Amino acid sequence: MMSRIFSGIQPTGNLHLGNYLGAIRNWVDLQHQFESIYCVVDLHAITVPQNPAALHQATIEVTASLLAAGIDPKQAIIFNQSRVPQHAELAWIFNCVARLGWLNRMTQFKEKAGKNRENASVGLFAYPALMAADILAYKATHVPVGEDQKQHLELTRDIAGAFNAMVEEDFFPLPEPQIIGEATRVMSLRDGTSKMSKSDASDFSRINMNDDADTIVQKIRKAKTDPDVLPETAEALDDRPEARNLVTIYAALAGTDIDRVLAEYAGQGFGQFKPALADLAVAKLEPVTQAMRRYMDDTAEVIKVLDDGAERAHAIAQPIMSDIRKRLGFLGESLG
Ligand code: AQP
């Protein structure tokens, strides 16, 4: 089977360094090796309440960040999910394939629903079935994601397998997660045990892709650390989550590994390491931030990329969905 990449990102606010190092930077590399489809997942965004104007704006901004990071719309398909109705259509079918017990095990739902579970939307609970539909509507074979999405990918494989068993055919591939690089789980700058996230109340917990140089320097200066010097081995960072996080970020930005960073900085304290990290972060992120501002000055170009991407994505998903309809015995062609 031909390799095809699919991955998605939510338009739920500014992209941050975790999204960049855990996912987008890898998307940029992979677009040259595989047919690649990158989706701004607005249907996923509405699993929690959204302000329509903010969602509209974030869809444009996230797309601008993808372009600024180096995704080439001539090479890869970039579009927003709700434009291609096959995502929602297949998600419904997968809601009928997935078992309640499988979804009950998903840790992201538990984290996001929190104590208010009874009040969470049905969509938030069924989120992984929509994610499976996103991937399998294109029969994608590889899915580059951060560590946090691993469990959802396993569910996608379970759904694909159950569907295949139902239709007695290897209809869908079992997609492989691609969790690549040093920084597969970037942690909050305020708490090394929780994930850097768009929805963290504190802006000082994350570096946003549109932060200016001064803000990046300030956030790194204020990042939580400990009083010890950097050790010689990575194992010695095991019980120092904040220190490990900053060293990991450095390694990922520098395109090296943790051991090499420690070989250079062992014995030095954060008074020395933080300025070096801030310089590196500014040097690596500033070109992306500047390119993003240029795209935001001409949003017509960004919207054109999404229009074109939606057509190309639809052209792939539509015939696959048509085959699925036949397998299930649905009468006639879908009008979507
Ligand atoms: N902290 C992270 N480290 C590494 N990778 C990460 N990703 C997200 N956070 C980190 C990866 O980025 C891709 C897109 O994520 P998303 O925006 O679609 O979903 P998310 O995981 O829900 O991101 P956030 O920031 O945590 O959003 P909120 O706060 O709205 O829930 C995925 O590949 C993800 O693995």
Side-chain angles (χ1 to χ4, degrees), residues 10 16 18-19 112 145-146 148 184 186 195-199:
Q10 297 195 67
H16 53 71
N19 298 132
K112 290 202 169 174
V145 282
D148 59 323
T184 56
V186 177
K195 189 182 84 127
M196 185 178 284
S197 158
K198 297 186 206 93
S199 51

Side-chain angles (χ1 to χ4, degrees), residues 244-295:
R244 170 176 268 279
N245 190 36
L246 294 188
V247 173
T248 305
I249 292 173
Y250 188 104
L253 286 171
T256 179
D257 56 38
I258 293 180
D259 290 333
R260 289 213 189 95
V261 179
L262 292 178
E264 193 178 341
Y265 288 98
Q268 300 190 30
F270 285 97
Q272 286 139 311
F273 185 69
K274 278 183 169 180
L277 175 60
D279 284 350
L280 177 66
V282 169
K284 295 286 176 182
L285 298 179
E286 205 156 45
V288 181
T289 312
Q290 278 174 4
M292 192 180 153
R293 291 209 186 100
R294 283 197 299 278
Y295 282 111

